[in-house]
Structure formats: structure tokens, C-alpha cells
Amino acid sequence: MIDWARLPSLSSLRAFCAFVQTGSVVEAGVALNVSHAAISQQLRSLEAHLGAPLFDRSSRALELTADGRELARALDDGFGRIATGVEALANADAQRPLNVGCTPTFASAWLMPRLAGFQVEHPGIDMIVTPSPILTDPSPGGIDVAIRFGNGGWAGLECERLLASPIVVVGAPSLFKGNTPSEPRDLVTYPWLEELGTTESSTWLAAHGLANEKVLSRTHVPGNLMLDGARNGQGVAVSTRIAVAEDLAVGRLIAVFEDRLDAGYNLVTRPGVQRAPLKAFLRWIRREAAKT
Amino acid sequence: MIDWARLPSLSSLRAFCAFVQTGSVVEAGVALNVSHAAISQQLRSLEAHLGAPLFDRSSRALELTADGRELARALDDGFGRIATGVEALANADAQRPLNVGCTPTFASAWLMPRLAGFQVEHPGIDMIVTPSPILTDPSPGGIDVAIRFGNGGWAGLECERLLASPIVVVGAPSLFKGNTPSEPRDLVTYPWLEELGTTESSTWLAAHGLANEKVLSRTHVPGNLMLDGARNGQGVAVSTRIAVAEDLAVGRLIAVFEDRLDAGYNLVTRPGVQRAPLKAFLRWIRREAAKT
DNA sequence: TCAATCATGTAAATTCACCTTACACATTAG
DNA sequence: CTAATGTGTAAGGTGAATTTACATGATTGA
């Protein structure tokens, strides 16, 4: 264990190290971006603290004493190791891929089509998109940012609205055969599709006073298949307007109900420091969202 | 060459290192003798500077991330090396013997008899006394302090009056046979003794208007033998009152002339920092001189 | 040999990084 | 549940470090 109290001020050690490396008080000042006077005083205070002369001041140019050279070696080693460690961290940090968590639906409908643009802008940053229907929290070394649907309120996380998007219930035109449901209750006569691990359909039904109704059928499918199924007319699905925007536009799906709630997709991050790649991604995705 | 601009503040690195070693913010504060809040802020600023999360703050006790552990290793190594270097220097410095330069006469007459007292007070400090008739300057790694006769004015050195002492011309009673000289001129009829390498006799004669007088004889002897010769009645010698005090007191020598000049012995040191053993010696010798 | 230049030293004023204080809040233990 | 413990944050204070301005002494070149 290091006895910090016995160490001289780190500034003075740094000044000494810089002086040794540059060979002059003036240049050491340049290296540390301070005036030569600052260096001069630090060197003096270092000598005073150690109680040993480090320089032979008999000529104009300072020369190291034997003691001084010994200390110089130690400092060069020590600070060198520290600098290396810090650099390594900065690099490792920049290179670890950026991990984005979101729902499979959002990933395929909104994120993936745009992601190429980000990678063109930031060729150095590798990415992992982790689609998962369940809420996975950002964690150090894991997910950097999650894109979640909802209206915030996740404890211990920072949340920022990315895109407002109403919840919609969709189905293929072939499913309704021109007989579009007009009441939520009408939907219980249709088969339902639901993402594995979620209960969005129940939640939606409950929100519309149909908590105890039994629907025709419920099919749980892996996330990315839910909308595929809906497009094929296999049932109705609860989704978000954003996720099905394209399908609605080309008429592949019909939105039979749309909730005007203050909900949407959010950027969810850990509070505190954000590493550089994450910051770049957040800047980019905010801009993309604003384009919509 | 280290790129100092890229390094985070050394204080924050130190705080992080202390935190790792102690395992808690509070204890790190204790180790560095600051408040826990100071540590907390430093850690935060370090994370911000590096742009990488170093801690998992999900529970109360901070836990290091993988990045954090890596940095911790680097810092522990680096600061460890630095601390070792500094310690080594402090020790080496304290152990190198203290080197005192003075004239042989002063050494044997004044310094050596008292030196035992110093070594009793400071058993850890080894000493070298380097008697030399010529002026040897204090230098790093060499003489720590010189004790010189004169009245100052040595360029580039610090000078402090230790003992006032007139110059005296002495001879053995047997030499004068009761016929003590009363005029400086009378002395040219006696044989002279002089320290090897010095010209004190000529200086003294010149100072008394006898520059061109030829004396009976001049014998140059190694320093410590000059007074021995004088005691044996082999001639007159120029010395200082201090150096012959004992001889005068017991009547072994007679001071035939005494100059009342502002001269005496001085402590001559290099300006700047003084290592611990030197400081102790200076304190001691000032006290000894004051006793006289 | 003399000024001109260059490198370092010093003093005093200033600034800003760092610290303390004080309070808040969360977690763990009893 | 309350108390004890550990960390976070804000605001304000302080001193270490820095700058500025000038001095000194060495070196260089005319």
C-alpha cells in the first residue's frame, strides 16, 4: 500500500519528469503548457520536500545530480506506466463495440434501415444490436443504450423521448375482408398475435375495458415473426405506429385502432459518464429521429 | 515521451488508486487525508475525462468495471514505482555520510574535540571530516559544508559567521626566551612555520608593512604539524586564536601579536536545499559555537 | 570587451482546481 | 421499522499552482 502522505506533490514530480525529458525549464513549461516560472518553482519545492539537491545549479543549464538521475528514472517508469494504462483504456474503450438494445420490431422497422448511415459517418465504431422483447437494462460492459417503448419512469436510468408514437392495433386487409372493426370489442372475434414474452395484447384489451374477455385465439411468436404473421393475415397485433409505418403506407396492414397516448420510443441510458462511441450514436439517432 | 496533455488530472488518478487500494470512498479519503466528498468528485471527474465508466454504481458499494480494474493495475504499478523511487532517494540521501571540510588546524583544535557530542546526539548520521588547507567548495555529492576562516565574500555560496576569531602570531615561550617581540618587525629575526600550500605568513607580514622583508627562515609543513612545530619552539606561526586557545591557556604557546579584525570562522554552504543530516549538523555546530 | 541574447531565478498578485461543509438519499443491518 | 453506514451533490472557501513582471547571470558574437 502506497503511503501517499510521504509523496511530494504530484505536480512537482510531473514538472521534474517533464524537465528531465525536455532538458530545460522553458521547454518543460511548453510540454506542460505552463510558464517556465511555474516549472522553476515546482522543481524548487520538490527539492525542498525531498531535502536533497537534485540539480547542480553551478552553470546556467541545470544539471542533474546522481540523486536526480535516479529519481528521474523512477518517475519516467512510473508516469510511463500510468500513461500507457490510460491510453490503453481510451483505446479499448473506443474499440469495444457499441451495444444497442431494442425490441425486434423497432430494430427491423426503424433502426436497421437507418443504421447504415451511422456506420458511414463513424467507420471506426463497431455495433451490436441486441433485439430483445424484454426490458434489458443498460449496464457497464453490456448494453450501452436501450430504446424502449413507454413513457419513462424506469428507476435509476436516464430516459429521453426519441420518437412519439401511438400504439396501434393492426391487421392485414385480407383478415378483415372489408369489414373493419369499429369497436375494440369487435376484436375479440379475431385471432391475436403476440410477441413471445410479452403481454401487450392483454394490456391493450384491459386498457379498453375488455380485461376479462376471451379472444378467439392467441399465438405467441418470436418478435420478428409477429408482424410477418399479421401481414399474412394470421391475426391482429398490437404494435406502434412507427414500427408499422411502412406497412400502413403501402396498405399491407390496416390500423384498426390507434391510442392517442403520450407514449413513444425513448433512449434509455445509465446515468453518469458516457463513452465516446455512445455519445456519437446518441447524437446521430436524435438527428435521425428529428428527420421523421 | 509522455503526452502530458492527454493525462487526466493526477489528483484524480491518485484518488482512484487510493479508492482501489482501500475499497471505499470514505477510506480513500482517510488515506489521502481529505473528505469523502473530495474523493467522490475526483472519481467522477476522472470518469468524465476518460469518457468511460469505471464503476458499477448499481449497488451502494462502488464496484469496478473491467476497464476500471485495468486502469487500477496500471496506476498501482505506476504510482508504486514512483513511490519506491522517492523512498529510495530519501533513504540514500539520509545515509550518505555528512562531509565537513575545514582546515586541519581547526579540525584538530576545535572540531574534533567536540564532534563526539554530535555523534551522541545523532547516532544515525555518519560523518567524514575532510581537512584541507586549500578552499574546497561545497558541492553536490561532495563537501556538504565547509568551515572557512575569513570574512565572507565567496561567490555563489552562502556564508554565515560561526565564530569570531582574531588572527594571532604565536610561538613557544622557549623560542622567545623571555624576550617577547613587541614590534611586528622584530619577528623577521625568527624562523617561520607555515602550512603547506598557504601563504599566511607573507599575508600577515604584508598587512603589517613588512612585505619585502626577508625572514630568518620559512618552513612549510603539513597543516597538522605546524602547531606541533610551534609548540616545540621551532618557530613562529600565524594562526587563529580559536585554534590555539588551549595552548595559550596552558602557556604552551604565547600570542605575540593579535589582529583585531572582523574575521573568524564561517559556515559555508551551497545555496538551496539542505539535506536532513546537514541541517542537523548546522544546528548542532551553531549551538556549540554559541557556548564558547 | 561590450552589448545582446538567452536561460533561469524570484516576488507578488491572481486564479482556479480542489477541498470542505452540509445536506440528501439509498442501502444494509439490527 | 429505525439506525447506521456509504455515497452523491451543491455551494462556497482556500490555498496550491500559475502568471506576470522583473532580476540575474551566463553565453555569444561583434
Side-chain angles (χ1 to χ4, degrees):
Chain A
M1 184 87 83
I2 295 169
D3 181 359
W4 298 102
R6 296 179 64 89
L7 277 185
S9 101
L10 296 178
S11 304
S12 66
L13 293 175
R14 174 177 49 191
F16 180 73
C17 198
F19 167 78
V20 171
Q21 289 178 340
T22 60
S24 105
V25 175
V26 173
E27 286 180 58
V30 173
L32 295 185
N33 202 30
V34 296
S35 66
H36 72 99
I39 302 290
S40 179
Q41 289 175 140
Q42 291 287 6
L43 296 182
R44 195 157 292 281
S45 97
L46 178 60
E47 275 188 303
H49 181 105
L50 295 176
L54 298 170
F55 311 100
D56 187 342
R57 288 191 161 83
S58 47
S59 66
R60 172 166 63 159
L62 296 183
E63 254 178 68
L64 290 178
T65 63
D67 282 350
R69 273 191 296 274
E70 197 182 321
L71 182 62
R73 261 197 67 84
L75 295 188
D76 205 42
D77 288 356
F79 280 122
R81 178 75 181 91
I82 289 172
T84 307
V86 170
E87 292 288 323
L89 191 91
N91 292 341
D93 184 61
Q95 278 165 18
R96 165 149 47 83
L98 183 69
N99 201 330
V100 181
C102 63
T103 58
T105 341
F106 183 80
S108 67
W110 195 91
L111 183 59
M112 297 308 288
R114 289 168 172 78
L115 209 51
F118 175 73
Q119 290 174 333
V120 167
E121 259 184 56
H122 301 277
I125 304 180
D126 286 342
M127 293 208 43
I128 300 178
V129 177
T130 305
S132 162
I134 60 167
L135 296 182
T136 42
D137 279 345
S139 67
I143 302 277
D144 288 291
V145 54
I147 303 173
R148 286 187 183 170
F149 190 83
N151 36 34
W154 293 289
L157 295 171
E158 276 179 359
C159 181
E160 165 193 348
R161 172 56 49 89
L162 179 66
L163 291 162
S165 174
I167 289 177
V168 293
V169 179
V170 296
S174 63
L175 181 67
F176 302 121
K177 298 172 188 125
N179 187 15
T180 315
S182 56
E183 290 285 319
R185 175 173 302 273
D186 297 343
L187 285 174
V188 300
T189 63
Y190 289 89
W192 282 66
L193 295 168
E194 188 159 38
E195 264 185 76
L196 261 178
T198 70
T199 56
E200 273 162 12
S201 62
S202 314
T203 310
W204 189 88
L205 288 169
H208 291 82
L210 303 164
N212 300 317
E213 297 290 329
K214 191 143 176 39
V215 301
L216 181 61
S217 74
R218 258 191 242 273
T219 309
H220 289 259
V221 297
N224 53 336
L225 294 180
M226 181 183 77
L227 287 181
D228 284 341
R231 289 184 195 112
N232 295 336
Q234 293 172 17
V236 295
V238 174
S239 184
T240 64
R241 179 162 252 292
I242 294 272
V244 295
E246 179 69 13
D247 295 295
L248 297 178
V250 303
R252 205 159 38 222
L253 287 175
I254 300 173
V256 290
F257 295 105
E258 181 164 326
D259 294 356
R260 280 254 154 253
L261 300 174
D262 178 28
Y265 287 95
N266 303 280
L267 290 174
V268 182
T269 53
R270 292 176 61 78
V273 189
Q274 297 172 338
R275 59 205 194 94
L278 174 55
K279 283 190 212 160
F281 179 76
L282 294 179
R283 264 198 309 279
W284 171 81
I285 201 172
R286 285 187 199 112
R287 219 169 50 228
E288 285 299 314
K291 284 185 193 168
T292 313
Chain B
M1 183 86 82
I2 296 168
D3 181 359
W4 298 102
R6 297 179 65 89
L7 277 186
S9 102
L10 296 179
S11 304
S12 65
L13 292 175
R14 174 177 49 190
F16 181 72
C17 198
F19 167 78
V20 172
Q21 289 178 342
T22 60
S24 106
V25 174
V26 172
E27 284 180 59
V30 173
L32 296 185
N33 203 30
V34 297
S35 65
H36 74 100
I39 301 292
S40 179
Q41 289 174 136
Q42 293 286 5
L43 296 183
R44 196 157 291 281
S45 96
L46 178 60
E47 276 188 304
H49 181 106
L50 296 176
L54 298 170
F55 310 100
D56 186 342
R57 288 190 162 83
S58 47
S59 67
R60 173 166 64 159
L62 296 184
E63 253 179 69
L64 291 178
T65 63
D67 284 349
R69 273 191 296 275
E70 196 183 322
L71 182 62
R73 262 195 66 83
L75 294 188
D76 205 42
D77 288 356
F79 280 122
R81 177 75 181 90
I82 289 171
T84 307
V86 170
E87 292 287 323
L89 190 89
N91 292 339
D93 184 62
Q95 280 165 17
R96 165 149 47 84
L98 184 68
N99 201 330
V100 180
C102 63
T103 58
T105 341
F106 184 81
S108 67
W110 195 91
L111 184 58
M112 298 307 289
R114 290 168 170 77
L115 209 51
F118 175 72
Q119 290 174 332
V120 167
E121 259 183 56
H122 301 277
I125 304 181
D126 286 341
M127 292 208 45
I128 300 178
V129 176
T130 304
S132 163
I134 61 168
L135 296 182
T136 43
D137 278 344
S139 66
I143 303 276
D144 288 292
V145 54
I147 303 173
R148 286 188 183 169
F149 190 82
N151 36 33
W154 293 288
L157 295 172
E158 276 179 0
C159 181
E160 164 193 348
R161 173 56 50 89
L162 180 66
L163 290 162
S165 174
I167 290 177
V168 293
V169 180
V170 296
S174 63
L175 181 67
F176 304 121
K177 300 176 187 119
N179 187 16
T180 315
S182 56
E183 291 286 318
R185 175 172 302 274
D186 299 341
L187 285 175
V188 300
T189 64
Y190 288 89
W192 283 66
L193 296 169
E194 189 158 39
E195 263 185 76
L196 262 177
T198 69
T199 56
E200 273 161 12
S201 62
S202 314
T203 309
W204 188 88
L205 288 168
H208 292 82
L210 303 165
N212 299 318
E213 298 289 329
K214 193 143 174 41
V215 302
L216 181 60
S217 73
R218 256 190 242 275
T219 309
H220 288 260
V221 297
N224 53 336
L225 294 180
M226 181 183 76
L227 287 180
D228 284 340
R231 290 185 193 111
N232 294 336
Q234 291 171 15
V236 296
V238 175
S239 183
T240 64
R241 180 163 251 291
I242 294 273
V244 295
E246 179 69 12
D247 295 295
L248 297 177
V250 304
R252 203 157 42 218
L253 288 174
I254 299 173
V256 290
F257 296 104
E258 181 163 324
D259 295 356
R260 280 255 155 251
L261 300 174
D262 178 29
Y265 288 96
N266 303 282
L267 290 174
V268 181
T269 52
R270 292 176 61 79
V273 188
Q274 298 173 337
R275 58 206 194 95
L278 175 55
K279 282 190 211 159
F281 180 76
L282 294 178
R283 264 197 311 277
W284 171 81
I285 201 171
R286 285 187 199 111
R287 221 170 47 227
E288 284 299 314
K291 283 184 193 168
T292 312

